[in-house]
Structures are given as C-alpha cells and as structure tokens.
C-alpha cells in the first residue's frame, strides 16, 4: 500500500489555513452549535441518562492554572468557565465526574498541560462504580500539550468533546482508550499535528475494550492531520459522519483490530487513502455510504459487517456536499455563544 511517509513532516510545516478550493454547493446543514450532544453521548446507558456535565451545580470562572486545576477535580457538579489562555505546568490534570469545562469567547483555552478524564490505569476488565462520567469539554483552544491534549481512559463514559481547536501536542490530540464508551466528538478543528485521534491504544487490550469504545465523530475538521483520523481498535460501532477531511497525507479513518466503523456523509478532499480496514495489525470492518471523494483522493478500502448506529440513537446525516462549507464555518471555538 503506497503511503507518503516521507511527507508527514512536510505536511505539518505547511500553513495552518486550508488551501483555497471551490465552495461546496449550498444545501441544508446541521446547526453549527447544539445545546446537547447527539450520537453516543446522548444514549442512556451504564446508569447515566445522556450527558449533562455540570448542569445543576455552581458556575465558577477561572483564569489561572491553580484555579482551573482545583475546579475540574472538585467532587460534584460544576460548570467551569475558562477565561483566557491558561498555561498549565507540564502533565495531565484529572477531571472529576459531572463537569462542564467551557471557554469564554473564541480565544480561551489551555497550553502546556492536558486534561485526563479517567481513573489511573489498571487491568480491571469491567467498569468500576467510580468510573469518571458525565463530562463536557467545549469551546476551548488546546496548544502545545506536553503529553495528550485530552485523554479519556479507564471506562470513562458519557463524555462530549465539542467545538474545540486542538493542535501541536506532544502525543495525541484526543485519545480514547481502556474501555471508555458513550462518547461524542463533534465540531472540533484539529491541525498542525501528526498523531491526531486514537481510539483503543493496543491490539492486545481486548479484555477491556471489546464491546466498548462506542464513539460518534461528527462535523470535525481533520485539517492536514496525516494519520489517526481516527485510528480505531475494538469499538463497534464507531460512527464517523459529516466530517471534513482535508489533505490527510496518510489516511482518514483507519479501522483495525476487530473495530467496526460506520462511515457516512463525509467530505474527503485530497486524502491519500480516505479510509481503510487494513492499515496495520489485525483487520477491522468498514461500512461506507454516501461519502464525497474530491480532488486527489484515493479509493476507500472497506469490507466486513458493522453494527448500525441507528440501533442506538436517532440522528440525521447532512447532505455530504454541504459538509465542507458547514464544518469550515462551524468547527472550533467561537460559535456556541458563551
């Protein structure tokens, strides 16, 4: 399989702005900011009814590292407004259950450190009673993380990652692993990074991951991110719909190790390999329908059977011809009105 491995560094060195291209035809599209998650974060499961974050708790506004770290780890519901760019010391900082962490305006966020949503790693094979759950992260800019920008692990569930801008981290921009499930990743803009989004960290972690890692990715802008857009293991179904993939020099979604990806209504532009279930390690499965393959985009590699996301939740797929325009206008911070 041909891969432009030697071009990965060059891809990261290009300008952040997406190259000009003809606008997508006008068509009805999703609202650019939703009041509640769609997809797996909306499902009632594991004792949690949808994802509401810190609703019902006090609202605090933070503008320093110490205040942010204290607010996100506090027990009980809390809405944390992040005002301005906050530099955290290197490392990952724990987020407790029932939290909403949301940026004020279009220019608030976190640099240096990252957010960890989950208990410490262990070999337990079923969700513990105290698994982190019901967390919302919205309208934030993540830059220059010393590790991951956001890490979700250890059976964390009902998490909504929405309308963020993520770039230039050390490891992953958004990793979901170790049995975590019922998660929606929506309207995020990722760029200037190679190892973008990982779902399932190891081919050998089936004991924790099989039957879990149920994640919806929709209306995200994968902007010149070469790989892990996302790369998946074990999750079935992984629902990937209405995203805009631009100039991904290795792959779009790579679905392996018994994962099943349902990929529909996306817009792929200049993507070397738009999707594959045979990337590295054991094969996965892909069901592909109603996607747009534009510009210098290769052929999809698909096959196998995947659970239908419609068995879990109701959703509407936008006309894929409208996706490029709506995602470029709506992804990232600044559209949710805080």
């Amino acid at each position: 399989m041909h891969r432009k491995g030697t071009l990965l560094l060059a891809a990261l060195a290009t300008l952040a702005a997406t190259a000009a291209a003809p606008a997508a035809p006008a068509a009805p599209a999703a609202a650019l900011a939703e009041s509640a998650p769609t997809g797996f974060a909306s499902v009632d499961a594991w004792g949690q009814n949808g994802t509401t974050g810190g609703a019902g708790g006090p609202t605090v506004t933070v503008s320093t590292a110490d205040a942010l770290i204290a607010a996100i780890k506090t027990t009980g519901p809390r809405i944390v407004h992040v005002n301005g760019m906050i530099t955290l010391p290197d490392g990952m900082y724990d987020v407790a259950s029932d939290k909403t962490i949301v940026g004020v305006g279009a220019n608030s966020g976190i640099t240096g450190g990252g957010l960890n949503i989950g208990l410490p790693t262990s070999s337990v094979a079923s969700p513990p009673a105290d698994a982190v759950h019901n967390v919302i992260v919205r309208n934030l800019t993540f830059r220059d993380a010393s590790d991951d920008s956001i890490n979700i692990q250890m059976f964390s569930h009902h998490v909504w990652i929405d309308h963020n801008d993520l770039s230039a981290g050390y490891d992953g921009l958004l990793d979901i692993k170790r049995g975590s499930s019922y998660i929606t990743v929506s309207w995020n803009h990722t760029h200037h990074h190679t190892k973008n989004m990982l779902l399932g960290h190891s081919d050998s972690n089936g004991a924790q991951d099989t039957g879990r890692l149920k994640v919806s990715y929709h209306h995200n802008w994968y902007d010149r991110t070469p790989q892990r857009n996302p790369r998946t293991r074990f999750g079935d179904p992984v629902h990937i719909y209405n995203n805009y993939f631009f100039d991904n020099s290795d792959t779009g979604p790579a679905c392996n190790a018994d994962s099943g990806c349902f990929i529909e209504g996306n817009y792929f532009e200049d993507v070397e390999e738009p999707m594959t279930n045979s990337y590295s390690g054991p094969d996965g499965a892909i069901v592909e329908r109603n996607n747009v393959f534009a510009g210098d985009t290769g052929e999809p590699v698909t096959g196998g059977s995947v659970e239908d996301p419609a068995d879990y939740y109701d959703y509407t797929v936008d006309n894929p011809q409208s996706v490029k325009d709506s995602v470029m206008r709506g992804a990232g911070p600044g559209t949710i009105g805080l």
Side-chain angles (χ1 to χ4, degrees), residues 64-284:
T64 67
D66 287 346
L68 173 61
I69 293 167
I72 64 177
K73 71 179 182 181
T74 299
T75 300
R78 181 161 292 196
I79 299 170
V80 180
H81 288 178
V82 176
N83 187 19
M85 291 299 298
I86 296 177
T87 300
L88 294 177
D90 289 356
M92 302 296 295
Y93 294 89
D94 290 340
V95 179
S97 297
D98 305 312
K99 296 294 179 293
T100 295
I101 307 168
V102 58
V104 176
N107 299 299
S108 295
I110 295 170
T111 67
L115 301 182
N116 180 67
I117 303 171
L119 300 172
T121 60
S122 75
S123 60
V124 299
S126 59
D130 60 345
V132 177
H133 60 279
N134 196 30
V135 173
I136 297 172
V137 179
R138 302 186 81 188
N139 204 50
L140 291 167
T141 295
F142 291 84
R143 291 280 187 276
D144 301 317
S146 61
D147 192 348
D148 296 332
S149 296
I150 303 173
N151 176 61
I152 303 171
Q153 67 178 20
M154 289 307 298
F155 304 97
S156 292
H157 60 98
H158 292 88
V159 179
W160 186 23
I161 308 297
D162 179 68
H163 276 101
N164 302 292
D165 185 291
L166 304 101
S167 69
Y170 176 76
D171 192 6
L173 292 182
L174 172 57
D175 287 357
I176 302 169
K177 59 195 182 187
R178 294 186 181 274
S180 299
S181 207
Y182 297 101
I183 296 165
T184 295
V185 178
S186 57
W187 294 102
N188 299 288
H189 182 198
T190 60
H191 56 96
H192 279 82
H193 194 81
T194 298
K195 297 183 291 185
N196 192 21
M197 295 183 180
L198 184 67
L199 178 62
H201 72 291
S202 171
D203 294 345
S204 63
N205 202 54
Q208 289 182 327
D209 291 342
T210 300
R212 302 179 181 108
L213 299 181
K214 296 187 186 302
V215 180
S216 303
Y217 298 87
H218 72 84
H219 294 93
N220 299 291
W221 182 2
Y222 298 97
D223 185 3
R224 294 189 172 112
T225 47
Q227 59 173 288
R228 300 187 183 180
N229 293 308
R231 180 176 179 184
T232 75
R233 297 175 170 95
F234 295 108
D236 185 4
V238 179
H239 194 193
I240 300 169
Y241 69 100
N242 284 156
N243 301 281
Y244 175 41
F245 297 85
F246 177 71
D247 196 17
N248 311 115
S249 58
D250 192 358
T251 67
C255 304
N256 300 110
D258 297 322
S259 63
C261 294
F262 206 95
I263 303 176
E264 58 179 333
N266 301 282
Y267 195 105
F268 295 88
E269 183 174 10
D270 297 335
V271 181
E272 178 171 334
E273 191 167 26
M275 63 189 75
T276 178
N277 62 354
S278 183
Y279 180 76
S280 176
D283 287 354

